[in-house]
Amino acid sequence: MTIASFPTTKSPSSADTPKRSPKPYIAAGVHLRQASYESTPSELEAAFSGIDTLFLISYPSHVHAYRTKVQLPAVDAAKKAGVSHIFYSSLGFAGDYQFTSLAEVMQAHLDTERYLAKLAAEDPSFTYTSVREGLYSESTPIYTAFFDPRQLGNGEICIPHDGSGPGVAWVKRDELGEGTARLIAQYAQNNKVFEFVNRTVLLTGPKVWTLEETVALLAEIAGREVRIREVTVDEYVKLPQVLESFGSEEHARTWATAWDAIKAGETAVVTSDLEKILGRKLEVFDIAVRKHFA
């Protein structure tokens, strides 16, 4: 069985990826092919040729239309090239295995999940697994108006949320990565008994933290008083650090739908699947986030 991951870097455009790839991977027998989500269908098909199992890493953008526009052709190219199983890196919104979400960032993931399910229903020789990766412990800044406890600030986090529950089942990114890799390895070892064929698996942390509790922990790390001040979306999108990060009020406004989803409880679901896959207890959020901001 030949297994591949696409794309191979965080960059959506990676023309020089083969030149920059770590030598240990090459020495271990990893073969690198040049392609990106912006490649033509024929280029993608060539990149995926000879691959049985593909780990499709979602395009790095929360913009619904463009993300779907580039991801579905990549799925088509993989299937046309002969890929028989796709692992897709989805996201931990949409609650307890639901198929709708209030968050803009989740929409292209849902589109891709539906498309994979449609292809699998039409062709029994093709299967998929959607891995809904929980919200990273390391990603608190994007949910706290880019607050960094290592930097001085005015002690206020201005977001369109009051901090109350429901909250987020934060999970360490490295453990998500390891868990996903172990899932792929399980499938490769014996796909006949793999339990997540044509299914979605939700990987979360072991406990739900409200945003108020999250900010209280960040305040401890910062060593000063920090609190949430609820603002309107119109006020949020005009914050200088928000505009700097998103590049426009429009993109900031679509991102702000994430707080609607959090309020609705979409991220307040805890599953035991990641602990079962890893065979150990997960690193709790307060330890993980202290390490991250050390």
Side-chain angles (χ1 to χ4, degrees):
M1 179 179 290
T2 304
I3 301 171
S5 172
F6 173 84
T8 55
T9 74
K10 294 180 181 179
S11 169
S13 180
S14 51
D16 61 341
T17 295
K19 298 176 184 177
R20 296 186 289 105
S21 296
K23 291 181 180 179
Y25 294 152
I26 297 174
V30 174
H31 298 278
L32 297 158
R33 298 176 183 176
Q34 185 172 307
S36 77
Y37 272 112
E38 282 78 15
S39 296
T40 65
S42 59
E43 289 171 337
L44 287 169
E45 189 178 343
F48 296 144
S49 65
I51 294 168
D52 303 301
T53 304
L54 176 67
F55 178 35
L56 186 67
I57 301 170
S58 54
Y59 183 84
S61 168
H62 77 275
V63 179
H64 178 193
Y66 188 76
R67 202 179 206 182
T68 297
K69 179 182 175 181
V70 296
Q71 287 186 174
L72 300 194
V75 171
D76 285 335
K79 187 172 184 296
K80 190 174 180 182
V83 171
S84 59
H85 189 91
I86 289 180
F87 282 87
Y88 173 68
S89 69
S90 187
L91 187 59
F93 282 94
D96 193 5
Y97 297 100
Q98 300 302 305
F99 300 102
T100 60
S101 172
L102 297 176
E104 170 86 4
V105 69
M106 190 63 186
Q107 301 311 311
H109 291 301
L110 294 171
D111 288 347
T112 305
E113 288 181 357
R114 282 189 287 266
Y115 193 60
L116 289 166
K118 174 179 176 291
L119 293 178
E122 293 172 347
D123 181 359
S125 69
F126 174 80
T127 57
Y128 74 95
T129 302
S130 179
V131 185
R132 289 190 182 177
E133 315 272 7
L135 274 59
Y136 302 161
S137 299
E138 299 85 353
S139 70
T140 58
I142 202 167
Y143 300 98
T144 57
F146 302 96
F147 177 78
D148 186 333
R150 298 165 296 189
Q151 298 176 358
L152 293 177
N154 64 7
E156 281 192 334
I157 290 175
C158 298
I159 56 175
H161 194 292
D162 65 5
S164 63
V168 178
W170 303 109
V171 58
K172 189 176 181 180
R173 181 166 51 187
D174 283 353
E175 291 183 328
L176 284 172
E178 181 185 349
T180 302
R182 287 181 179 273
L183 277 175
I184 296 169
Q186 287 174 15
Y187 176 84
Q189 288 165 5
N190 190 346
N191 58 25
K192 302 299 182 184
V193 299
F194 185 67
E195 64 177 304
F196 297 111
V197 170
N198 292 340
R199 288 181 55 194
T200 296
V201 56
L202 174 62
L203 306 182
T204 77
K207 175 186 172 182
V208 174
W209 291 66
T210 67
L211 291 181
E212 184 177 35
E213 291 168 336
T214 299
V215 168
L217 175 59
L218 295 174
E220 279 186 36
I221 296 170
R224 63 182 188 276
E225 184 177 347
V226 182
R227 66 181 184 88
I228 291 174
R229 179 164 70 87
E230 186 174 14
V231 298
T232 66
V233 171
D234 286 339
E235 291 172 309
Y236 168 78
V237 301
K238 291 179 171 61
L239 294 173
Q241 74 274 23
V242 171
L243 279 172
E244 181 181 355
S245 296
F246 288 112
S248 71
E249 288 189 15
E250 178 187 0
H251 285 171
R253 189 175 299 277
T254 54
W255 173 259
T257 56
W259 284 287
D260 296 327
I262 292 172
K263 290 175 185 176
E266 291 188 24
T267 58
V269 177
V270 172
T271 73
S272 60
D273 286 308
L274 184 54
E275 286 192 345
K276 290 177 182 176
I277 293 164
L278 296 180
R280 64 175 188 267
K281 292 291 184 182
L282 303 180
E283 187 168 284
V284 294
F285 172 64
D286 50 343
I287 293 177
V289 80
R290 287 180 191 277
K291 287 180 179 178
H292 177 67
F293 287 115

